[in-house]
Amino acid sequence: MTDCLFCRIVRREIPATVVDEDAQCLAFRDIAPQAPVHILVIPKAHTASLDAVEDPAGVVGAMARMAQRVARAEGIAGTGYRTVINTGADGGQTVGHLHLHLLGGRDLAWPPG
Ligand code: 5GP
Ligand code: ZN
């Protein structure tokens, strides 16, 4: 999608600190990190949200595979981490391109707000 923020990051039109990439997904550091490790994993193909995705098993599976790999590379697999997909207004989604938050490096409170 032409003017989607995360599609522009995929096309390298907007700078981002990319930490992993494969044919389906891209992982980059969140611009406003909420934990010592805060990385966003996105599908390269535009999809507005988890609710809109046509092949959730395939797309989320590819995102989970990358999140697992990045967590290990970032050194947080042993201490633990959280993966979050915010969906829609009540879910707190602010960017309309499906993304998975990977958060770690500190003790994360539960439940979230
Ligand atoms: P949401 O609230 O939609 O689940 O998460 C969107 C995330 O995107 C937020 O954590 C926000 O900090 C991050 N974000 C927004 N704009 C940019 C940007 O231009 N670059 C990067 N790297 N992250 C962004
Ligand atoms: Zn997009």
Side-chain angles (χ1 to χ4, degrees):
M1 193 185 263
T2 311
D3 55 0
C4 167
L5 175 64
F6 287 174
C7 284
R8 295 189 70 192
I9 287 177
V10 171
R11 295 196 300 267
R12 307 302 207 267
E13 292 172 3
I14 292 175
T17 305
V18 172
V19 297
D20 201 354
E21 179 170 18
D22 64 17
Q24 286 176 273
C25 295
L26 187 73
F28 54 93
R29 296 196 190 282
D30 197 290
I31 202 167
Q34 301 301 308
V37 176
H38 188 174
I39 288 163
L40 301 173
V41 179
I42 68 169
K44 288 182 171 176
H46 181 84
T47 308
S49 73
L50 182 60
D51 185 60
V53 71
E54 288 181 10
D55 172 26
V59 173
V60 177
M63 296 165 73
R65 182 174 55 207
M66 181 166 287
Q68 182 196 63
R69 189 164 69 217
V70 171
R72 291 174 179 172
E74 293 286 320
I76 57 171
T79 48
Y81 54 85
R82 183 170 297 163
T83 51
V84 177
I85 298 176
N86 295 326
T87 303
D90 277 3
Q93 183 177 6
T94 60
V95 176
H97 180 130
L98 176 61
H99 51 282
L100 177 151
H101 297 258
L102 171 64
L103 297 142
R106 67 171 171 84
D107 191 7
L108 297 160
W110 189 265

